Amino acid sequence: AKANGKAQAQLFHEQMDTDYRYRQRLKADLAVCVAANGLTLVYQPIIDLRTRRVVCCEALARWNHPEFGAIPPSVFIPIAEETGLISDITRFVLASAVAECRNWPDDIAVSVNISARDFRHTDVKGMVEATLRDSGLPAHRLEIEVTETALIEERDAATKILSALQAQGIGIALDDFGTGYSSLSYLQALPFTKLKVDRSFVVDVVHNPRALKLLKNVVQLGKDIDLKVTAEGVETEEQLAVLAAHTKVDHIQGYLFGIPLPRRDVAELIDRLAG
Ligand code: C2E
Ligand code: CA
Ligand code: CA
Ligand code: CA
């Protein structure tokens, strides 16, 4: 057993070493990719529950690694935050998303994720204002998504910047609501226009009455303070039916209405749902 334990410890350390080297490799390759403008964007539609039309599309970054294939954002975004590459990524996503939005009907907005590190190291306000000015997109067609993590880490900076942007008509969404800490205090202090309820509240609503009660009350909470509420991660007709019958949710995002799509395909989907 002792020999076995030793062998396992050895394996463990080899694995750690491999993971470490893999991560270092990804770090270096991501820098090359970003410098060469090699990231791409996909857009996921967000649908109005009543009209069944697209109201917004969320821009999501994609990295297709030449050797390892698709690297998920849950892997490369934290690396980008750690290395500082996130500034360049956010700038790229914002500029591309705003430009793409101009091709859509003018009642459809675009949303972009801003990370904690952006509030610390990037002039988010200046960047957003310059991007809108250069593109001519009206402020109300842009929405910024921030998570509680961003707010915990950079509360004062984020509050100032987001308030200024909101005053100009830009939408501000609290993303992944319900997965972080002390969410309610952020709702009081920050200028949100929208609440995005995390997928974890939606996943069980069909079979678990407690899950439904929780979701219903989280949605109600958002409505009570005059926010639009989006349910994330809606995958089935059954979930949609329960949401429509038992909650006051405004908007739906999830694989049921559309996975994140390249720009051409999302334009087609917008047309189809409008027709
Ligand atoms: P997020 O902002 O919460 O984005 C929604 C994620 O949920 C996306 O994952 C989307 O593909 C996924 N999703 C949407 N509908 C469904 C569904 O019905 N079922 C399931 N299981 N998943 C669904 P994705 O694209 O892998 O992105 C993961 C996270 O990475 C994002 O979560 C966001 O936090 C981050 N991210 C992605 N792109 C960017 C970016 O450009 N900048 C920043 N800062 N973060 C980004
Ligand atoms: Ca988001
Ligand atoms: Ca989310
Ligand atoms: Ca998420």
Side-chain angles (χ1 to χ4, degrees):
K2 202 170 175 187
N4 197 4
K6 210 169 163 186
Q8 270 188 352
Q10 166 110 26
L11 250 169
F12 177 72
H13 283 110
E14 276 167 13
Q15 183 61 40
M16 290 255 297
D17 198 43
T18 309
D19 287 351
Y20 176 77
R21 270 181 294 157
Y22 179 63
R23 228 180 126 77
Q24 292 302 109
R25 170 80 192 275
L26 289 186
K27 264 188 198 174
D29 293 353
L30 185 60
V32 172
C33 171
V34 169
N37 253 319
L39 290 182
T40 57
L41 277 186
V42 286
Y43 298 89
Q44 185 174 33
I46 298 169
I47 285 23
D48 184 293
L49 180 59
R50 273 163 300 275
T51 65
R52 298 297 165 98
R53 299 223 174 171
V54 179
V55 290
C56 182
C57 294
E58 178 174 2
L60 295 159
R62 291 292 179 264
W63 181 19
N64 193 14
H65 189 282
E67 187 177 325
F68 307 130
I71 312 286
S74 56
V75 172
F76 73 80
I77 294 289
I79 292 178
E81 288 172 338
E82 194 182 307
T83 55
L85 282 171
I86 192 69
S87 306
D88 293 335
I89 294 179
T90 302
R91 192 181 315 279
F92 159 77
V93 172
L94 187 67
S96 315
V98 161
E100 189 56 28
C101 184
R102 296 209 56 190
N103 300 325
W104 303 335
D106 59 16
D107 54 352
I108 299 181
V110 72
S111 64
V112 170
N113 295 284
I114 305 279
S115 88
R117 177 144 180 153
D118 290 319
F119 289 111
R120 198 174 341 152
H121 296 283
T122 310
D123 173 16
V124 173
K125 181 168 170 286
M127 182 171 75
V128 169
E129 288 169 351
T131 308
L132 285 181
R133 200 177 330 110
D134 292 350
S135 72
L137 190 78
H140 71 267
R141 294 186 65 190
L142 175 64
E143 205 167 87
I144 281 170
E145 302 196 2
V146 290
T147 62
E148 287 168 47
T149 321
L151 303 174
I152 289 169
E153 291 175 20
E154 296 301 325
R155 182 164 183 156
D156 294 344
T159 306
K160 242 173 95 178
I161 294 165
L162 293 176
S163 301
L165 293 177
Q166 197 266 329
Q168 296 172 31
I170 295 164
I172 312 289
L174 181 52
D175 201 0
D176 297 351
F177 182 72
T179 58
Y181 309 94
S182 60
S183 326
L184 302 180
S185 79
Y186 296 117
L187 285 181
Q188 192 183 351
L190 284 143
F192 293 109
T193 56
K194 185 175 281 187
L195 203 62
K196 297 189 78 176
V197 180
D198 190 70
R199 191 171 82 82
S200 55
F201 286 91
V202 173
V203 75
D204 265 351
V205 287
V206 176
H207 303 292
N208 180 346
R210 287 184 66 154
L212 176 57
K213 273 197 183 145
L214 266 172
L215 179 71
K216 204 169 147 174
N217 281 282
V218 169
V219 173
Q220 185 61 49
L221 175 78
K223 298 307 297 174
D224 281 346
I225 53 172
D226 299 322
L227 302 180
K228 290 281 183 195
V229 179
T230 303
E232 301 193 286
V234 178
E235 296 182 349
T236 68
E237 290 289 351
E238 290 76 14
Q239 288 170 340
L240 180 67
V242 169
L243 285 170
H246 300 287
T247 78
K248 294 183 182 163
V249 80
D250 300 287
H251 301 148
I252 302 287
Q253 181 175 6
Y255 295 164
L256 177 63
F257 283 103
I259 61 168
L261 295 166
R263 48 196 289 268
R264 266 170 218 268
D265 300 337
V266 86
E268 238 175 70
L269 181 80
I270 288 170
D271 276 351
R272 188 148 38 81
L273 292 178

